[in-house]
Each structure stands twice: as structure tokens, then as C-alpha cells.
Amino acid sequence: MAANILTLPFRRTHAVSLTTAIKQYISTKYDQHPDTFSADMATVDELRTAAVTVLEPHSSGIKRLQSYAAQLVWMGGKFPIDIGADFTWYDGLGYGNNGGSSQNNIRFELANVLFNLAALYNQLAGTANRSTAEGLKTAFNYYCSSAGVISHLKQEIIPDMRATAPEDMDPMTLECLEQLQLAQAQECFWHKAVKGDTKDALIAKLAAKVSDLYSQASDWGIKSEAIRSDWIHHMTAKHHHFAAAAQCRAGRDCLEKRKYGEEVARLRDSLACVNEGLKESRYVSKSVSDDLSALKNKVQDDLERAEKDNDMIYLIPVPSKPELNTLERANVASLQFTKEVTDPVSLLGDSNKPGPLGKPLFSKLVPYAVHFAASIYASRREQIINGIVEELETLTTRIHELLSSLNLPGSLQALEKPLGLPPGLVSHAEEIRQQNAPARLSRMLEDIKKLKNSGLETFSAGVKLLENEASDDDEAKLKYGTDRWNRPDSETAATKLYSQVTEINGYFSSAESSDKMVRDKLKENDNLIRLLNETDRDLEEYIPSSRRVSMTPRVERHVNRLREMLSAANRTESNRRRKIESLRTKAQSDDVNPDLMKEASRLERQYPMRKVEAAQFEGFFDRRLERYNADIEIPKLERREQDTMLSKLAEANTALKTERQGDSSTRDREERLQELENAYFAYKEAVQNLDTGRKFYNDLATVVAKFRDECRSFAYARQNEAAGLEADIMTALPMANLSIQQQQPQEQSAGSNLGFNSEARKSQQHRYRSQNEDSHVKHPTLAAPTPVKPNSGGLPPAVANANASTTSPSSGKSPSYATPTAGTWNPEVGIKFAPAGSSRGAQQQQQQQQQQQQQHQANGSATSTRGKGARDSRWDPGQHGVRFG
């Protein structure tokens, strides 16, 4: 490699197996077995090994790095960013003292792989043959590709890494490296121009741009913590070198254009730039320093010639530097973005036909979001189908209600067949017998009861867990107090669960109301349903016969018209049942999974490195559900046709009744036939309602089971939290008691040192009371006591001063206050501390004080100060200091 360019080093890493992490994730997050993808896991490990061992500048390493990077981008849509593998990489820049960084982050791994790809491009450019135009062109392209990879890394990968970038991948460092690659690419083109027949003006513009790029790289490098100082010196020297080269070439162009004064000015500026660059000589490589020295010699020679010619021949004024026009820039180096870097997923092909970068691994792994999206689609499809079916069944119910209100078909059957059983009734009774209707209803009712009781039991278990947890929490608050037991109460901590209690209670209440309606209706028709389950003979005995009615042509015409309308109603009902079955079959055959997988693959390719979410399929759902738009219109069409038909049926029935007005010969038979007909439809309706109820309770069982599990988890978590909080409280209590016990001896010691023990306080209080009582009694006049210098005691200054200024108990005078004398404490004077050697121990002081109190009690008065040998318990600042402990 050339010694006058900078080489971007590789980042290094340890061997890491992705198989363990991927297998663990698949086994916990997917419904598929991880062994299904054992080949893909082995392949990704092989790709990583091949990529991280690219540590030499060889063109074969480009595809190895690109292939592994493409798989990382593809896997970003299949797995989370923190897949569970720790990737450790060591910085290549800096001073080599970095311990590396480790992150559980696929994008961190991708960033390092792309960084090494940029380093590989850089090193391949450095190994190119710069002595030929073709070699310079190759180096130029490699440098531009390196800058493009670094730009993509800076703009797309690092911001989306969701973690702190390594030190040598921060924005300042990457910006410095990007400008450096562009500068070295521009320098290659400049060299190619110098070797060719390019004009000096264009070479000057190329060199000026090289200088700018090196200057920008140097400025960013100063802001970076990862760029070494020798790199900064190198880029600074290059900046000055090419600034000088640009002015030198501009000077030659001025000579060609006979601008002799400007030539001198530009050569002088060129020499100044070279001298600035040479200041970096001690910090840069010898080749860079030699290049500067060679340029300086050339500039000096040209300047000497130009100044001599201008001074002796041309005599043109030399402009100052500010008067010179700024050199134009010719920029040829630009970022090269390859599809292998910006859109690698498009080059992976598919599982059947690999692309230039291989085939996408784990393509058959269905993300959880796809399963969730399938369930969302199925739910919305069922909602549409159920809505259509519900509307159609409501229309059918209206037909039955109208027929029942018109006493049809019983009235018509009694008229047409006055003896025996009508064919319609026989078919209905046969259906009842085949299904064993009473037993079937009994089983369905029992099943619903069991499902309901099971759901209630599960729900009650969850509620009981919440109640027990709340009770335990209340007991703990009473035991420790709310100051210590300061966690939120149960209802606050589990707002969602407590709201679910009310919600699920509402479900059970609503279901109970519906169940009661079904049971009441069955109870009303139970005897008739059981009768339909009996033999035809039993039915004949229940249904009375009537005499045959002679029908006039007009009555017969109305009967035929009514029969025709009844047949139309039956056909409508039969067709409707077939439509409902066809609609359900259509929904069951609507397998969304293949198209959903294609949509997921499209999303993974369109948005690589982004985890597929169910919300991304909203547009797909809307387009897919459009196939049911025609079915949604069916109830509207059926309603219009049915309204017309029922209107005609009611008119035909009214016309027949008008013709037969006054004929009641078939009334009893009509009523019995209609009762059995209504019982049959009541049975059909009950079966449908009970089947709906069973489905409801099955769905509710899932809800209450989830509720109970969440209650159990909440109670367990709160129990652990309570145990930890209780342990903290029990640990804090002994420490608090210990603190109190430590304070008590200190208070007693302080009281002893200062004369405030309990006995002293009692003695002083007794003395004060005696003095106050005696001050109101007249006694013989006595002379005021002479102030006596207090001996060492233990009383505080205020008490000592008070004792010194009161009268004797035997005196009748009011208390008088003597002028403070030497040795007596004066509030006007600060406290004087005696030398340490003159103070006595606290124990000796306490013993003296106790002896003085005993003497005072024996005398019965406050005359303990009499006599020179008596000790005074008052504090003497002149003799005693303040002793602490």
C-alpha cells in the first residue's frame, strides 16, 4: 500500500454461534419446531465465520461480507433485535487500548460488518497500482464505494440500532471517515489528471477540492474521540499540500495567460501553504513530508523565475492575496451506493431460486404476527358472516311470526284434509322422532348447565384470589401501618382485573337471562314436542276430525292462492337455509394463510430490519374482505322480496277468511294443528338458541380461564412483593431500636457532664420551690450573702447564676443580684475553656455533685455554700473547661 494515504483498519471479533440463540427463540416464540430450520442455522453460522475472517484486502471478501450483511437485514424482519446472542467487536481506530464492546443486538452486528466492508474497499483501493491510469480509476471507485458504505452506515444503520454506538462509529468519526474516503478518491483522480494531458486550470480546480475534503475530514477528526492525532496531522498536511498544489497549477495557468503579476501572487501563496504543511513534518510519514519538500522546491524555482521575469521584463503589479479570485472547485468524487448495501434483500432471490447473495434463510418461518393477523382476519370474516346469517334468520323468524299470527298453515290444513294427518305435520313429526327431540333438548340443556357451572367455578376461583390478596394486604396495613406498608392497594394495582370482574359478571347475568327465556319457551311447548315425538296414532287421537267442507269455486280459488303463497314462503325459507350453508362453506374454504405469507414476505422485503406487525396487514384485510361485499347485500335483497311475498300472503289469507266467514266447523282442528306447528318451530328455535348458548359458554370459558390465570399471576407477584416489603420492614425495625438505644446513653452522658441528671434536677426544683415559698414569708432582716467563687460542680451557667443571686431561705429580703465578680459566669462575656489538664473527669464530677446534694439535704437549706471547705456544684469557667465524653 502507498505510504502517503491512510488505511482504514478492520474491526475484529470473536467466534459467536447464532444457532443456540435462534433455536431458543423459535422454540419459545413460534409454533414451529426449531429442528426444521437446522440447515438454515448452520448456514448463518458459516456465513458469519466467512465474513468475520475477512482481514486481508482481497476482492473475494466483498461478497462474503455482503452475503452475511444481507442475511442480517433479512433476519431483522424475522427475529427481534435482541435475539439473545452477545456480539463482541473490538475497535480498529484509536490507540488500540479499547477493550471492545459487546451487545445483544443484530443491528450492532450489521453495523460492524458494514464497517469492515468499508475498510475492505479502502484497503483494496490502497493496494491498487497507482502508476497506471487504470489502477488509479480502480482505487477511485473503491474509495467512493467505501464512502458510500460509511454514509449508509451513518444515515440508516446507526440511527436504527436502538443502542449506543461504539466510539469509532459515532457521527463525528463516521463523518470524518466519509470525507477522508472522498478526499483520497479525489486525490486519485487528481493524480490521473496530472499524468494525462489535462490543462493546469482543471488540475488546479481538482487540487482545490482535494484540499477542501481533507480540511473537512480534519475538522471532523478533531471532534472525534476515536481519530488518532497522527491521522489529524496527516489530513492537515494533505490539506496544505493540495492548497499549495492548486495555487501552483493556477500560477502556471496565469503564466500561460500572461497574467504575470497574478502568477507571482499565487506562487507566493503556494509557498506559504507548503510551509504550513511542512510544520506537520515531524508528525507525518516520510513520504508525505517528502512530497511536501519536493513541491516546495518546485514552487520556489517557479517563484524565483516569475519574480525575476516580472521585475525585469513585465513590471506588472503583484496583487495581494485578498485581491486574488477564489479558485473554482471541480468535484468528481461522490458517494457510490450499491444495491448490495442499500437493498440487499432484493438480491437474495427466493427459497427455490437463490439470488446473487444467496437465498433468504428462515423463509418458511412464520412470524407470530402472521398467526395473529390470520386470527384477526378470521375474526373479521366471522363477524361479517355472522352478521349476514343473523339478518337472514331474523327474516325467517318474521315469516314464522306472521304465519303463527294468521293461524297458518293449520287453518289451511284443516280445510284441505279434515281427516287424518296433514303431510306437513307428518314430515315435521318424523323429523322430531329421528332427532329424539326431548332427549336432545335435555342433553343440550344439561351441557349448557355444566359449561355454565364450570365457567362460574373458574371465575369464582379468580375472584377469590383477588379477595384473598386484598384481605392480606389490608391485614398488613393494619399490622405495619400505611407509612411502612405504602404500596398501592389491590384495586389500584390491578385495575384491569377488577374491571374484568364487573364485565364477566355482566356476561353471566346476560347469559342467565337468555337461558331463562329459552327454558320458559321450552316449558310452554314441552308437552306438544313430546307429543310430536310419539306415534302417528297418538297424533290422530290429539287432533280432532272435522266434516268435509264443500268448497265453492271461489273458495277453492282462494285456497289455491293461499297454498301457493305458503309454498313460496317455504321455498324462501329453504333457499335461505341453502344460502346460509353456502356462505359458511365459502368462509370455511377461505384459506388466508398462503396469501398472508406472500404479504408477509413482501413486507419483509419492502421493510427490512423491521419486525412484521399485525397492524401492517390492515390494507391486505380490506382488500381480502371485499370478496364478501356481494354477500353483504343479500339480506337487503331478501328483505325486499320477503316483504312483497308476505304482503301477498296476508292478502290471500284475508280473502279466504272473508269467503268462509261464519264457517266454524274446522276451528278445533285448526287450533290443534297450529299448536303442533308452533311447537315444531319452537323446537327448531330452541335448538338453534341452545347451540348458540353452548358456543357462547365455550368462548366464555376461555375468557374466564385467562382471567383466573392472570389473577393467579397477580396474586403470586403481590405475594412476593409483600414478602420483600415485609423483610425490609423487619430489617429496618432492629436498626431503629438500636439507634434509639444508642441515643439514650448519649443523652444520659450529656446530662451527667452538664449536671442535668435526674437527681440534680430534683434538687434544683426543690430549692426553687423553697425559695419561692419563703419569699412570701416575713423573716428577720439578714445581711445579703457575700458572693462566693463557685467550685467545680456540674450545674449549667444559668442555674449557677440563679443560685448566686437568690437570698437565703432564712432571709426575708427580696432576692438581690450581686455584681458579677471574677470567677462568676457573665452573659456579657464569652465562655472560656480551661486547659485540658485542669479539667476533671465526668465520673469525678458526678461523685462530687452527689456528695454535695446529700450535704444539702442534710442541712435542709441552700446554705451549702457556707465555709471555705465546702464544694460548690456550680460551673466555674475559670477552673473547668467543657469536657465531652
Side-chain angles (χ1 to χ4, degrees):
M1 293 186 183
N4 62 345
I5 60 173
L6 292 178
T7 301
L8 185 60
F10 290 109
R11 290 173 63 86
R12 298 175 182 270
T13 183
H14 294 308
V16 175
S17 176
L18 289 170
T19 298
T20 304
I22 294 175
K23 183 179 292 186
Q24 178 67 22
Y25 186 81
I26 292 176
S27 61
T28 55
K29 299 297 183 180
Y30 289 90
D31 294 334
Q32 297 161 280
H33 198 279
D35 290 345
T36 308
F37 306 96
S38 56
D40 290 345
M41 287 185 279
T43 301
V44 75
D45 280 340
E46 292 173 0
L47 288 173
R48 186 180 195 276
T49 302
V52 301
T53 53
V54 176
L55 300 174
E56 297 293 335
H58 195 278
S59 58
S60 62
I62 296 176
K63 186 174 182 180
R64 289 156 64 183
L65 289 166
Q66 290 175 345
S67 298
Y68 181 51
Q71 294 297 339
L72 289 176
V73 174
W74 168 256
M75 289 167 58
K78 292 285 186 179
F79 301 102
I81 187 173
D82 50 344
I83 191 173
D86 292 326
F87 303 101
T88 303
W89 286 85
Y90 297 91
D91 297 346
L93 298 175
Y95 295 94
N97 57 356
N98 188 285
S101 57
S102 179
Q103 293 187 23
N104 174 20
N105 192 323
I106 288 182
R107 290 172 190 165
F108 172 72
E109 172 86 343
L110 175 63
N112 284 277
V113 172
L114 290 179
F115 186 94
N116 276 5
L117 179 60
L120 179 60
Y121 281 134
N122 172 274
Q123 295 186 24
L124 287 171
T127 58
N129 185 2
R130 291 172 172 260
S131 62
T132 63
E134 190 64 28
L136 287 171
K137 181 179 178 182
T138 301
F140 172 83
N141 289 328
Y142 277 139
Y143 279 128
C144 290
S145 296
S146 179
V149 173
I150 293 174
S151 178
H152 178 73
L153 180 63
K154 177 186 66 177
Q155 296 178 2
E156 302 295 336
I157 306 302
I158 297 297
D160 201 30
M161 199 165 69
R162 304 181 193 175
T164 304
E167 189 177 76
D168 58 352
M169 288 191 197
D170 64 344
M172 286 73 70
T173 303
L174 293 178
E175 189 68 37
C176 171
L177 296 178
E178 179 183 330
Q179 297 301 322
L180 175 61
Q181 305 312 307
L182 291 175
Q184 296 185 151
Q186 182 86 5
E187 183 178 353
C188 290
F189 200 91
W190 176 84
H191 275 295
K192 186 173 180 288
V194 169
K195 291 179 180 296
D197 296 330
T198 309
K199 292 183 178 182
D200 290 321
L202 179 56
I203 295 176
K205 295 176 183 179
L206 292 171
K209 185 60 181 179
V210 176
S211 177
D212 291 345
L213 291 171
Y214 272 118
S215 177
Q216 294 172 16
S218 177
D219 292 341
W220 284 108
I222 293 172
K223 299 176 183 178
S224 169
E225 298 292 335
I227 302 299
R228 299 198 306 266
S229 60
D230 58 324
W231 278 39
I232 297 174
H233 288 300
H234 174 96
M235 291 182 285
T236 304
K238 285 281 190 175
H239 159 62
H240 293 303
H241 177 108
F242 282 96
Q247 292 290 18
C248 180
R249 288 287 178 170
R252 292 186 181 184
D253 182 61
C254 290
L255 176 61
E256 184 179 347
K257 295 177 180 178
R258 299 182 180 182
K259 298 178 180 179
Y260 304 111
E262 184 178 348
E263 177 195 9
V264 174
R266 291 197 179 277
L267 288 174
R268 287 175 180 175
D269 186 55
S270 177
L271 184 60
C273 291
V274 169
N275 290 331
E276 286 295 323
L278 285 172
K279 293 179 181 179
E280 307 289 338
S281 296
R282 58 185 296 188
Y283 307 109
V284 298
S285 65
K286 186 176 182 301
S287 60
V288 174
S289 180
D290 291 344
D291 289 344
L292 283 167
S293 298
L295 178 60
K296 180 178 181 180
N297 294 333
K298 183 184 296 186
V299 171
Q300 284 178 335
D301 293 341
D302 290 348
L303 178 60
E304 184 179 349
R305 184 225 3 112
E307 288 179 336
K308 183 177 179 181
D309 290 347
N310 191 52
D311 291 341
M312 298 182 65
I313 302 173
Y314 307 117
L315 302 175
I316 296 177
V318 178
S320 62
K321 183 175 180 178
E323 294 176 338
L324 294 175
N325 292 329
T326 303
L327 292 177
E328 296 181 5
R329 269 61 174 169
N331 184 27
V332 293
S334 61
L335 303 173
Q336 287 188 9
F337 297 102
T338 61
K339 202 171 184 181
E340 289 81 359
V341 174
T342 58
D343 188 18
V345 175
S346 63
L347 301 177
L348 286 176
D350 52 42
S351 57
N352 298 323
K353 184 180 180 182
L357 297 180
K359 66 176 183 178
L361 302 178
F362 308 99
S363 58
K364 296 182 180 179
L365 183 63
V366 182
Y368 174 75
V370 176
H371 292 287
F372 188 54
S375 64
I376 292 176
Y377 175 79
S379 176
R380 294 184 182 179
R381 181 186 61 203
E382 285 299 316
Q383 186 176 1
I384 293 174
I385 298 301
N386 291 337
I388 297 173
V389 170
E390 184 177 353
E391 290 188 54
L392 294 177
E393 289 178 345
T394 301
L395 293 176
T396 302
T397 302
R398 287 181 56 191
I399 293 177
H400 295 162
E401 290 174 352
L402 179 63
L403 292 178
S404 179
S405 65
L406 298 177
N407 205 21
L408 292 173
S411 60
L412 191 59
Q413 290 173 347
L415 182 62
E416 291 178 333
K417 191 173 178 61
L419 300 175
L421 299 177
L425 180 60
V426 172
S427 63
H428 290 166
E430 185 63 28
E431 182 181 349
I432 293 288
R433 295 187 196 110
Q434 288 178 355
Q435 297 180 4
N436 195 4
R440 182 185 182 187
L441 292 173
S442 179
R443 286 195 305 271
M444 295 182 75
L445 289 171
E446 188 63 25
D447 290 343
I448 286 181
K449 184 178 179 181
K450 289 180 180 178
L451 289 172
K452 177 184 175 182
N453 291 337
S454 177
L456 282 172
E457 183 179 351
T458 304
F459 175 63
S460 300
V463 174
K464 187 66 175 177
L465 287 169
L466 293 179
E467 292 174 350
N468 291 341
E469 194 285 324
S471 176
D472 293 342
D473 189 63
D474 292 339
E475 291 179 2
K477 285 182 180 178
L478 292 175
K479 181 178 180 181
Y480 298 109
T482 55
D483 290 339
R484 292 192 182 97
W485 200 265
N486 54 5
R487 68 173 184 170
D489 58 16
S490 300
E491 192 164 352
T492 303
T495 306
K496 180 181 177 182
L497 291 178
Y498 276 89
S499 63
Q500 282 184 331
V501 172
T502 305
E503 185 179 353
I504 295 175
N505 265 327
Y507 291 156
F508 278 110
S509 299
S510 176
E512 174 60 27
S513 176
S514 299
D515 294 345
K516 187 175 184 302
M517 291 177 60
V518 173
R519 290 194 301 268
D520 291 344
K521 194 164 186 179
L522 281 176
K523 188 175 181 180
E524 294 176 1
N525 295 276
D526 182 64
N527 292 333
L528 294 175
I529 293 173
R530 292 182 180 277
L531 180 60
L532 286 170
N533 197 49
E534 300 297 333
T535 62
D536 291 347
R537 185 177 183 84
D538 295 325
L539 291 174
E540 290 175 353
E541 291 178 357
Y542 177 75
I543 301 172
S545 299
S546 62
R547 63 181 179 83
R548 182 176 296 275
V549 179
S550 58
M551 293 186 291
T552 63
R554 189 177 181 84
V555 170
E556 188 173 357
R557 187 168 56 252
H558 286 303
V559 167
N560 292 335
R561 176 63 178 165
L562 184 57
R563 169 58 62 189
E564 181 182 345
M565 297 310 302
L566 279 176
S567 298
N570 290 333
R571 285 195 301 272
T572 299
E573 186 176 351
S574 299
N575 293 335
R576 192 168 291 161
R577 283 197 297 267
R578 284 194 293 271
K579 287 180 181 179
I580 291 174
E581 290 299 324
S582 175
L583 194 59
R584 294 191 186 279
T585 303
K586 179 180 179 180
Q588 290 175 359
S589 61
D590 183 10
D591 186 8
V592 72
N593 290 322
D595 293 339
L596 202 58
M597 286 297 299
K598 291 180 182 178
E599 180 68 10
S601 298
R602 185 189 68 81
L603 292 172
E604 289 173 341
R605 292 178 180 274
Q606 184 174 355
Y607 306 102
M609 298 301 292
R610 183 187 299 180
K611 189 177 180 180
V612 177
E613 301 290 345
Q616 295 175 275
F617 294 94
E618 287 296 333
F620 170 80
F621 294 155
D622 295 338
R623 294 190 301 271
R624 181 84 177 188
L625 292 174
E626 288 178 358
R627 61 179 60 191
Y628 297 100
N629 288 346
D631 300 317
I632 294 174
E633 299 298 323
I634 291 178
K636 297 179 182 178
L637 299 175
E638 292 273 327
R639 184 180 296 107
R640 287 197 294 267
E641 294 177 359
Q642 178 173 304
D643 290 343
T644 303
M645 180 197 65
L646 293 181
S647 176
K648 293 180 179 179
L649 189 147
E651 292 175 359
N653 185 70
T654 302
L656 179 61
K657 279 188 173 182
T658 302
E659 289 295 328
R660 295 191 63 222
Q661 191 172 8
D663 186 1
S664 60
S665 59
T666 60
R667 181 174 300 171
D668 292 340
R669 183 174 175 82
E670 289 177 10
E671 292 177 355
R672 296 294 176 89
L673 289 173
Q674 191 61 40
E675 286 177 357
L676 293 174
E677 190 72 18
N678 293 340
Y680 168 76
F681 286 113
Y683 163 73
K684 300 289 287 185
E685 182 182 357
V687 169
Q688 181 179 349
N689 290 334
L690 290 176
D691 190 59
T692 302
R694 181 167 52 191
K695 185 177 183 301
F696 169 80
Y697 280 117
N698 280 325
D699 294 340
L700 187 59
T702 304
V703 174
V704 296
K706 182 179 180 182
F707 167 76
R708 181 200 57 194
D709 294 341
E710 290 179 353
C711 291
R712 184 180 293 138
S713 300
F714 169 73
Y716 180 74
R718 291 275 287 185
Q719 184 180 2
N720 290 339
E721 182 186 10
L725 186 58
E726 188 171 9
D728 293 342
I729 293 173
M730 298 305 294
T731 303
L733 284 176
M735 297 300 296
N737 294 336
L738 179 60
S739 177
I740 294 173
Q741 292 172 3
Q742 289 177 348
Q743 291 175 3
Q744 290 176 353
Q746 292 176 0
E747 293 175 356
Q748 293 176 2
S749 175
S752 300
N753 293 335
L754 296 176
F756 279 117
N757 57 21
S758 59
E759 295 296 332
R761 285 196 296 270
K762 291 180 181 178
S763 175
Q764 294 299 329
Q765 292 170 2
H766 174 71
R767 185 189 304 179
Y768 295 152
R769 284 196 300 268
S770 300
Q771 292 172 352
N772 291 334
E773 291 173 359
D774 293 343
S775 65
H776 300 288
V777 181
K778 294 182 179 181
H779 293 282
T781 303
L782 297 177
T786 303
V788 180
K789 181 178 180 179
N791 295 323
S792 61
L795 296 176
V799 177
N801 198 20
N803 289 339
S805 58
T806 55
T807 60
S808 171
S810 59
S811 174
K813 292 184 178 181
S814 300
S816 61
Y817 298 90
T819 303
T821 58
T824 305
W825 178 73
N826 185 359
E828 302 294 333
V829 183
I831 297 176
K832 296 180 180 180
F833 295 93
S838 64
S839 62
R840 300 181 181 181
Q843 186 175 3
Q844 184 177 1
Q845 292 178 5
Q846 187 174 359
Q847 292 177 355
Q848 292 174 356
Q849 185 176 355
Q850 291 177 355
Q851 291 175 1
Q852 185 177 355
Q853 291 173 357
Q854 292 175 358
Q855 182 179 0
H856 170 75
Q857 292 175 358
N859 294 334
S861 64
T863 58
S864 59
T865 58
R866 299 172 185 173
K868 296 182 179 180
R871 290 188 180 275
D872 197 340
S873 61
R874 289 173 294 181
W875 177 66
D876 181 5
Q879 295 183 3
H880 310 290
V882 178
R883 292 180 60 86
F884 297 94

